[in-house]
Structures are given as structure tokens and as C-alpha cells.
Amino acid sequence: QVQLAESGGGLVQAGGSLRLSCVASGRTFSRNIMGVMGWYRQAPGLQRELVATITRLGDTNYADFAKGRFTISKDVNSKMVHLQMNSLEAEDTAVYYCYLRLWKQDNDYWGQGTQVTVSS
């Protein structure tokens, strides 16, 4: 099994910053290698969308809206991923989900989500 636990969401004023963290655990995770971890978000009435991902080698991918404002990083042991979000806007309000795909596997794993609310 794989468990993803997110933290760091909350309420912030526009222009402020938040740092999200996600830690992976579980027997399946401990027996495999992280392939890709990242963050998606879903706002009310909208589809879930990519925010940013990072591979086990450190290659990153960002949605256009995240470029220049958000930074994804991971710990050396690749068990944790972080999302530093700066210059937040009201449009960034959403539930942010941690995502994991193990190396050479097709299963996708998701956290339960953490709410980010940006007040204008």
C-alpha cells in the first residue's frame, strides 16, 4: 500500500505564500522507487489539473500558471515532496492533491487533499 499525507494548506491573503508538503509511506512504497511525485489541484466545478511534478532524478514540470510563482522540490530520500507557492492569487484557491507514481509502474496514488484558500 501507499499512503500520501499532505500538510500546509490554509487561508492566506492574495500576494502571500504557502508551503505544501507531502510524505509518502506504506509497504508498497518502501519496496519500490519513486518515479514521479507532484501536485494537482481542483477548484469547485472544475476538473483536476496539474500544478507541478518532479521525477526521481529531479526533473520538474510546471503548469503555465505555476511558472515563476511555484517551486516544487523533494527530499534526498524521495519520500517527501514540497510545493512552495508565492504570489498567491484568488484563482489559486482549490484543493491541492499530492500525487505519486512509482518507478516502472502504472498505478497512480493520490492523497486526500489539502485546502488552499486565497482571499482577495
Side-chain angles (χ1 to χ4, degrees), residues 15-17 51-52 60-72 83-89 92:
S17 299
V51 178
T60 58
N61 180 44
Y62 292 92
D64 286 344
F65 65 79
K67 293 177 181 177
R69 299 190 299 132
F70 297 179
T71 303
I72 191 169
L83 184 70
Q84 178 66 42
M85 303 187 293
N86 298 327
S87 302
L88 284 163
E89 305 167 351
D92 296 317

Side-chain angles (χ1 to χ4, degrees), residues 1 13 17 28 44 62 67 85-86 108 114 120:
Q1 291 185 344
Q13 289 188 336
S17 299
T28 299
Y62 292 92
K67 293 177 181 177
M85 303 187 293
N86 298 327
D108 294 331
T114 184
S120 57

Side-chain angles (χ1 to χ4, degrees), residues 13-117:
Q13 289 188 336
S17 299
L18 281 175
R19 179 178 171 88
L20 306 183
S21 295
C22 173
V23 57
S25 62
R27 179 175 298 181
T28 299
F29 179 75
S30 65
R31 294 178 176 179
N32 287 276
I33 300 173
M34 183 272 269
V36 180
M37 287 189 77
W39 295 91
Y40 284 69
R41 72 183 188 183
Q42 188 167 18
L46 299 179
Q47 290 186 336
R48 190 172 298 189
E49 62 180 351
L50 167 75
V51 178
T53 59
I54 186 167
T55 71
R56 65 186 184 91
L57 298 179
D59 296 323
T60 58
N61 180 44
Y62 292 92
D64 286 344
F65 65 79
K67 293 177 181 177
R69 299 190 299 132
F70 297 179
T71 303
I72 191 169
S73 62
K74 65 178 181 68
D75 287 0
V76 172
N77 61 14
S78 295
K79 293 182 179 181
M80 291 190 69
V81 65
H82 310 281
L83 184 70
Q84 178 66 42
M85 303 187 293
N86 298 327
S87 302
L88 284 163
E89 305 167 351
E91 292 74 19
D92 296 317
T93 296
V95 178
Y96 285 69
Y97 295 91
C98 183
Y99 163 82
L100 166 70
R101 176 173 287 195
L102 296 170
W103 191 45
K104 293 188 176 180
Q105 296 192 19
D106 295 329
N107 294 337
D108 294 331
Y109 298 93
W110 297 93
Q112 292 190 331
T114 184
Q115 177 70 45
V116 171
T117 303

